[in-house]
Each structure stands twice: as structure tokens, then as C-alpha cells.
Amino acid sequence: MSMLPLEVFPGWPTPEPTSSLFMVLLTIVGPLAFGAVLALLAFAPKLRREATGTSTSTEVATTRDDA
């Protein structure tokens, strides 16, 4: 990953070179994992309702007397 021409300020120590695996983890796997956690948090209430079998429906049962 030496394609990025990085420079540091005078007096700062030079950083160690990073591996390609670290860059892939940092730029691809990390954001995907973070998005998966956010999606799980967003869908957790619905998943919990489906697992317990309860519904939050507001439908009203009606009966008809056709006789």
C-alpha cells in the first residue's frame, strides 16, 4: 500500500508501513461489520416480536349476524 504519498510534519516520527490486510480490514471489513451491528439494532424489536409470537396489530375482530 505504498501508493499513498504521505508526509509527516517536521519533528514527528515516521509511521510504520501498514500491510494490505490491515488496509482491507480498516476500509472494507470494519465498515461492513459496523453496518451489520446497526442493522441488527434496528431490526431487533421486529425479530423479538416474531420470535415470541406477539403482534402489535391494531386490527379489530368483528362478527356479522347474517341470520
Side-chain angles (χ1 to χ4, degrees):
M1 286 289 172
S2 62
M3 295 173 53
L4 300 173
L6 299 176
E7 296 181 11
V8 294
F9 292 117
W12 285 24
T14 57
E16 296 180 15
T18 59
S19 67
S20 296
L21 176 65
F22 179 74
M23 291 302 289
V24 167
L25 287 173
L26 187 65
T27 59
I28 297 173
V29 176
L32 287 176
F34 183 70
V37 168
L38 289 181
L40 184 63
L41 288 174
F43 289 112
K46 181 180 179 188
L47 293 173
R48 195 169 109 201
R49 268 182 296 192
E50 289 178 359
T52 59
T54 59
S55 177
T56 59
S57 177
T58 58
E59 294 179 16
V60 177
T62 58
T63 58
R64 290 183 56 179
D65 292 328
D66 289 336

